[in-house]
Amino acid sequence: GAESSVDERNREMGLFRRQQQQAENARDEAYRQRNVMERQAKISVAKEEREEGLVIIKAIYGVMDSESYEWVGDRRLCSMDATAQVQFWVQDSSVHLPAMSKKHMLGFYDVMMGLKTGDWTRDKPATTDDWEKINYLARIVKRWRGSWRSSRLEDKRKLVVVLTVRYKFAGQIFEVMYYDDQAVDLPSSGATIVTI
């Protein structure tokens, strides 16, 4: 009865604490790798700025709610600044990262490790072309549904891992988002021009 329920909660909390410790260790290792990459990234920025080439202004790798497209979880563990990591790979004013999870790449880690697994499900991302339609529909559905929930399953958040990149190229600033398993090609024809 109540005793087994308490035992179950304690077991879950212990598992979550171990999972959080693993996430912190993975994050610390990724930051050590990033520190090694930063020197080359700074050299790349200087070269690219002289040539009006590709300069990564800000890159964030993290977990988003696939309905609201808001960042979720503990910001220390569920998202990371990936600016130096992306700039590190810039060659001749372009960058190509393979179609695989970025958590397997130098300077990255599994940002999903910082989340309590019972509270979410991994959503299958749509194509980047559908991004605007999905974002618009998500806002409409969220407004229509309000806070009403019909079941515990519906309370689980559908999450997706993304890499967002704001970059400067040929004197203009652009922004683009990639789902974790997508190839990253910058500059991107799918990027949005950012007006400041």
Side-chain angles (χ1 to χ4, degrees):
E3 202 171 296
S4 66
S5 176
V6 169
D7 289 342
E8 179 68 23
R9 274 195 300 263
N10 287 339
R11 191 174 63 73
E12 284 179 16
M13 285 307 297
L15 181 64
F16 182 61
R17 277 191 219 103
R18 283 191 299 281
Q19 184 179 335
Q20 288 245 291
Q21 185 61 49
Q22 289 173 338
E24 288 173 10
N25 293 344
R27 178 202 60 206
D28 293 347
E29 179 59 28
Y31 285 164
R32 281 191 286 281
Q33 293 170 359
R34 182 197 63 199
N35 291 340
V36 172
M37 300 168 87
E38 277 183 328
R39 182 171 174 257
Q40 179 60 39
K42 287 177 183 176
I43 292 169
S44 172
V45 166
K47 177 184 178 286
E48 295 293 327
E49 281 180 340
R50 279 192 309 273
E51 300 170 0
E52 285 203 18
L54 180 61
V55 176
I56 307 304
I57 297 169
K58 185 74 167 178
I60 298 174
Y61 178 66
V63 183
M64 274 190 171
D65 183 303
S66 67
E67 292 179 7
S68 69
Y69 292 99
E70 294 175 1
W71 298 106
V72 299
D74 181 343
R75 295 294 289 223
R76 296 176 309 110
L77 296 175
C78 298
S79 66
M80 64 180 286
D81 183 332
T83 307
Q85 294 89 318
V86 177
Q87 187 70 48
F88 176 84
W89 296 106
V90 173
Q91 290 248 312
D92 300 320
S93 297
S94 66
V95 65
H96 174 76
L97 302 179
M100 62 183 253
S101 175
K102 307 311 172 261
K103 70 182 177 187
H104 301 297
M105 296 186 66
L106 190 64
F108 289 84
Y109 68 95
D110 185 356
V111 291
M112 294 291 279
M113 286 176 61
L115 295 170
K116 202 171 176 183
T117 55
D119 294 340
W120 58 270
T121 60
R122 187 180 295 261
D123 201 6
K124 183 176 186 220
T127 64
T128 304
D129 297 336
D130 292 335
W131 172 251
E132 285 185 31
K133 287 184 267 184
I134 291 169
N135 197 12
Y136 174 73
L137 289 173
R139 286 194 308 267
I140 290 173
V141 169
K142 190 176 179 183
R143 232 178 290 142
W144 176 72
R145 281 181 27 192
S147 61
W148 178 79
R149 298 278 190 227
S150 63
S151 70
R152 176 67 187 133
L153 180 63
E154 206 169 304
D155 285 344
K156 288 187 176 193
R157 298 176 85 176
K158 292 182 180 174
L159 305 179
V160 61
V161 177
V162 298
L163 174 67
T164 61
V165 183
R166 180 175 281 207
Y167 65 92
K168 187 175 175 183
F169 182 72
Q172 290 189 298
I173 297 175
F174 299 88
E175 201 165 72
V176 65
M177 184 195 79
Y178 294 95
Y179 291 103
D180 191 26
D181 293 330
Q182 283 183 302
V184 173
D185 289 299
L186 299 173
S188 171
S189 60
T192 304
I193 295 175
V194 177
T195 53
I196 297 175

